[in-house]
């Protein structure tokens, strides 16, 4: 907060240029564009049509963020088992450019598929993202956070997960240290987390901690509020493979799960699992929420997100938000417009 006040003071006296008054941010959930493991399951036209319907929104935002589910690599050995709950995702390195062309600026790697092909897969993924100029963070001992500048604003980004190789969101000392560091040197801070139990029955946001497959998947209300209490301005989540509620807390925006976004293979897309929103928000230069829009998309196997003319995705998030977080400072209408109460 101190750096923000100092920057404003210097700008008033003409020492620094004025920052933009507002910032437009687009957010998505899980992205896994296709896999070559355990068999080849790749979309038509080398994936060039995957983001077709959403590209105008993603590329048109000042900043676009999401979650990269799986490794981008061409080799390596799977670290996953062969049981019914074991999945490993390996997207070809030739698909990396699709993320940049779609408009992504930052992708979380703090999830339970980033290590699907071990260190070789992680290093390959980082190399591909570096080549495309896409920032990332979330793997313990590697990149803890990233900083990008947009419209004269310095924006800090970080990502947390529940796996041993990620920066763990259950370790609030680590979360607080990283968020505090970004707040001390940036104008705005955005936090991503991968957490929560998975499946079509897990769309409601519980109070308290969640467990799944014997793992602690976090107490996500506590986590999101903790980040904002430490100075973060936007928090977006993913992991349950379904959408969850949204909230404005202390004038800051939180999305508890953005679900699947572009996962054309080896991920269930039945019913609400196929809901693939793009959430677009506008915030002030001080991080406070102005308004937003839930853009509804649906997924079909092998295709990617396609526009949902019925708006069913926005209505699902609206209903979940009204039920699970009635105390939110924001309201969502039937068309997916998010406004302050």
């Amino acid at each position: 907060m101190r750096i923000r006040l100092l920057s404003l003071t210097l700008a008033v006296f003409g020492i620094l240029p004025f920052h933009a008054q507002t910032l437009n941010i687009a957010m998505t959930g899980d992205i896994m564009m296709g896999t070559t493991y355990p068999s080849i399951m790749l979309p038509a036209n080398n994936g060039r049509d995957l983001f077709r319907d959403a590209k105008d929104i993603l590329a048109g935002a000042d900043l676009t963020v999401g979650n990269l589910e799986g490794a981008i690599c061409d080799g390596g050995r799977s670290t996953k088992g062969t049981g019914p709950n074991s999945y490993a995702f390996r997207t070809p390195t030739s698909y990396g450019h699709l993320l940049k062309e779609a408009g992504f600026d930052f992708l979380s790697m703090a999830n339970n598929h980033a290590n699907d092909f071990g260190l070789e897969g992680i290093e390959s993924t980082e190399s591909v993202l570096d080549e495309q100029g896409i920032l990332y963070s979330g793997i313990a001992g590697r990149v803890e956070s990233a900083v990008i500048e947009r419209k004269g604003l310095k924006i800090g980004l970080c990502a947390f997960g529940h796996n041993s190789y990620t920066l763990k969101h259950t370790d609030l000392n680590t979360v607080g240290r990283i968020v505090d560091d970004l707040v001390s040197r940036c104008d705005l801070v955005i936090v991503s987390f991968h957490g929560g139990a998975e499946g079509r029955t897990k769309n409601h946001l519980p109070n308290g901690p969640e467990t799944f497959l014997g793992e602690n998947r976090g107490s996500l209300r506590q986590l999101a509020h903790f980040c904002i209490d430490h100075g973060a301005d936007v928090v977006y989540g993913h992991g349950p493979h379904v959408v969850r509620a949204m909230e404005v807390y202390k004038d800051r925006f939180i999305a508890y799960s953005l679900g699947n976004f572009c996962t054309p293979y080896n991920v269930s897309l039945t019913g609400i699992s196929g809901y693939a929103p793009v959430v677009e928000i506008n915030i002030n230069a001080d991080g406070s929420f102005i308004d937003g829009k839930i853009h509804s998309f649906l997924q079909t196997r092998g295709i990617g997100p396609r526009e949902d003319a019925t708006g069913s995705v926005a209505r699902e998030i609206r209903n979940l938000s009204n039920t699970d977080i009635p105390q939110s400072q924001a309201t969502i209408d039937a068309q997916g417009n998010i406004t302050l109460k």
Side-chain angles (χ1 to χ4, degrees):
M1 189 65 68
R2 198 171 291 172
I3 190 172
R4 302 179 193 186
L5 295 174
L6 176 61
S7 296
L8 179 60
T9 301
L10 294 174
V12 168
F13 288 97
I15 299 173
L16 290 175
F18 278 105
H19 290 161
Q21 296 301 303
T22 64
L23 191 77
N24 176 256
I25 304 169
M27 292 169 278
T28 78
D30 296 348
I31 301 162
M32 192 281 295
M33 298 175 287
T35 183
T36 60
Y37 183 90
S39 60
I40 296 175
M41 291 173 279
L42 298 174
N45 198 22
N46 294 317
R48 292 188 182 91
D49 301 318
L50 284 175
F51 300 106
R52 184 188 69 193
D53 284 19
K55 187 174 181 179
D56 285 350
I57 302 167
L58 300 174
D62 296 323
L63 184 72
T64 297
V65 298
N67 173 58
L68 183 61
E69 191 91 334
I72 303 180
C73 63
D74 297 320
R77 172 176 288 186
S78 172
T79 61
K80 295 293 180 69
T82 58
N85 294 312
S86 293
Y87 297 91
F89 300 138
R90 182 175 64 190
T91 300
T93 58
S94 61
Y95 277 48
H97 69 99
L98 300 175
L99 296 167
K100 184 63 175 180
E101 291 166 6
F104 286 97
D105 299 296
F106 172 85
L107 292 169
S108 165
M109 289 180 62
N111 58 64
N112 52 320
H113 288 285
N115 192 48
D116 280 358
F117 288 85
L119 181 59
E120 179 178 343
I122 289 172
E123 290 179 340
S124 176
T125 302
E126 292 177 343
S127 177
V128 169
L129 296 179
D130 286 340
E131 288 173 3
Q132 298 302 325
I134 298 173
L135 300 175
Y136 52 86
S137 72
I139 304 298
R142 301 188 71 82
V143 179
E144 283 197 342
S145 64
V147 177
I148 192 170
E149 187 169 313
R150 287 289 186 272
K151 297 171 73 172
L153 295 167
K154 185 182 285 188
I155 304 162
L157 304 115
C158 56
F160 303 98
H162 56 79
N163 294 87
S164 60
Y165 56 83
T166 67
L167 294 164
K168 297 186 72 169
H169 54 61
T170 54
D171 179 1
L172 293 182
N173 287 330
T174 295
V175 174
R177 176 181 61 77
I178 293 172
V179 172
D180 288 349
D181 171 66
L182 288 175
V183 168
S184 73
R185 55 194 178 95
C186 297
D187 301 299
L188 298 168
V189 174
I190 300 173
V191 177
S192 166
F193 69 81
H194 200 73
E198 301 178 24
R200 287 189 291 275
T201 64
K202 306 301 182 182
N203 55 341
H204 283 284
L205 178 69
N207 287 297
E210 298 180 62
T211 59
F212 186 71
L213 299 178
E215 294 178 322
N216 181 355
R217 295 291 182 94
S219 181
L220 302 181
R221 293 181 195 242
Q222 178 193 17
L223 170 68
H225 289 186
F226 177 88
C227 290
I228 287 177
D229 290 344
H230 274 251
D233 301 293
V234 176
V235 179
Y236 73 98
H238 31 80
H241 295 293
V242 287
V243 298
R244 285 184 169 183
M246 295 178 181
E247 174 183 23
V248 173
Y249 164 78
K250 293 187 176 179
D251 300 321
R252 268 54 182 179
F253 180 80
I254 303 168
Y256 283 97
S257 176
L258 295 173
N260 302 318
F261 176 58
C262 184
T263 53
Y265 297 101
N266 261 16
V267 174
S268 174
L269 301 177
T270 304
I272 61 174
S273 298
Y275 286 6
V278 176
V279 177
E280 188 180 12
I281 63 170
N282 296 301
I283 63 174
N284 287 305
D286 66 359
S288 58
F289 177 80
I290 301 172
D291 57 22
K293 172 75 173 180
I294 302 167
H295 299 275
S296 294
F297 294 89
L298 299 173
Q299 285 203 78
T300 303
R301 177 179 166 83
I303 302 299
R306 293 294 177 260
E307 187 175 2
D308 169 25
T310 71
S312 60
V313 183
R315 288 197 302 276
E316 169 78 357
I317 296 173
R318 177 197 188 196
N319 292 338
L320 291 169
S321 300
N322 288 341
T323 300
D324 294 349
I325 316 180
Q327 73 276 17
S328 172
Q329 293 176 314
T331 186
I332 304 170
D333 69 17
Q335 288 72 47
N337 297 301
I338 312 169
T339 55
L340 292 170
K341 291 179 178 177

